[in-house]
Amino acid sequence: SRSAQLFVFLEAAGENPFVTAPVYVCDDLSDAEEGSTLVLDGAEAHHAATVRRARAGERIDVVDGRGTRARCVVAEAGGARLALDVRERVREQAPRPRITLVQALAKAGRDLQAVETSTEYGASRFVPWAADRSIAAWKGKEDRGRARWEATALAAAKQSRRSWIPEVTPMLGTDGVVALAVREGATLLVCHEEAREGLPDARAENLWIVVGPEGGIADRELEAFREAGGRPVLLSSNVLRSASAGPFVMAALSGMRLVAG
């Protein structure tokens, strides 16, 4: 058939329409015009050329992490350098709504699991929260902890082919989280196992999801969020882990929006 013939042609040209192109990051794509050559070097090029063994003719997308995507084809690959032919440069809209996940520090890497999955689900920003009952702590290691969250968000964004890479703020205590939420006029959904209301059909553009630590959100913290306009919400009849609560909310709200059209 004609469609089968077209597929064979595209596949032979390294442009299988049913497989998304791998994503790499370059901070500056201002010169990546259609028809130009983009040189990718450093760690990203090493991963593409050495680890993934990219070859001439293969499709690759390069993003700047701020919504710009260059669709390219590998012209030359060698060592820690790729020469790419730019086929198209596009500007993609930021995820809507803008979702900030306030994730309490958690042990056993569960906070990193939350960052990874929430990035795949479209989160725009993460706030590492040193909650009163957090067992994990970054005392004296704040920069290292933040860097791990950033690396996790970056890897998840590349895996899910995103052109927008989520931001990770510095670690904040409860008072800092509340102050930032109030300053930004955020709509706060506070996940709490004793809440009486389920998830609302939230259509706010600046939506914050607050997920507590293994020991739960302290009473004084819950009251502080309430005073800032926060709404405690019950996610399920089952108690979710800190790693899954945030992604659960994002998936549920996305489903509501799809149903509502």
Side-chain angles (χ1 to χ4, degrees), residues 58-239:
E58 182 178 342
R59 292 183 306 135
I60 280 179
D61 283 359
V62 182
V63 304
D64 65 357
R66 300 178 300 278
T68 300
R69 182 188 302 269
R71 304 187 190 281
C72 307
V73 172
V74 178
E76 298 178 14
R81 182 181 182 277
L82 288 182
L84 308 173
D85 292 334
V86 180
R87 298 294 178 85
E88 181 184 23
R89 186 179 69 184
V90 296
R91 180 68 184 171
E92 299 176 348
Q93 291 186 345
R96 289 290 181 269
R98 175 178 166 81
I99 296 179
T100 294
L101 176 60
V102 179
Q103 177 69 49
L105 304 184
K107 63 180 183 180
R110 292 197 178 100
D111 46 13
L112 292 175
Q113 293 175 39
V115 169
E116 179 180 61
T117 308
S118 298
T119 297
E120 295 172 4
Y121 286 10
S124 296
R125 182 173 60 175
F126 298 104
V127 177
W129 173 30
D132 288 355
R133 294 176 179 170
S134 288
I135 297 174
W138 287 2
K139 293 179 180 178
K141 300 179 290 185
E142 289 85 354
D143 290 344
R144 184 192 304 178
R146 184 183 181 187
R148 290 179 66 196
W149 281 37
E150 289 175 333
T152 299
L154 172 62
K158 290 168 61 176
Q159 188 278 330
S160 53
R161 311 303 197 248
R162 290 184 56 169
S163 63
W164 288 88
I165 298 173
E167 171 195 358
V168 179
T169 74
M171 183 186 70
L172 296 176
T174 302
D175 293 343
V177 171
V178 170
L180 182 59
V182 170
R183 184 161 65 247
E184 293 192 357
T187 297
L188 278 167
L189 298 182
V190 184
C191 304
H192 198 275
E193 63 189 54
E194 295 181 2
R196 296 182 179 181
E197 298 182 47
L199 285 173
D201 185 7
R203 296 182 179 273
E205 283 300 303
N206 184 19
L207 181 64
W208 285 35
I209 302 167
V210 179
V211 176
E214 298 91 332
I217 299 175
D219 291 343
R220 76 102 185 171
E221 293 174 317
L222 186 60
E223 184 59 29
F225 288 128
R226 280 199 177 105
E227 290 178 357
R231 179 174 181 176
V233 292
L234 180 65
L235 306 186
S236 169
S237 57
N238 303 318
V239 176

Side-chain angles (χ1 to χ4, degrees), residues 8-28:
V8 170
F9 171 76
L10 290 172
E11 188 174 41
E15 297 186 3
N16 185 337
F18 302 106
V19 178
T20 57
V23 165
Y24 298 92
V25 178
C26 177
D27 290 338
D28 185 5

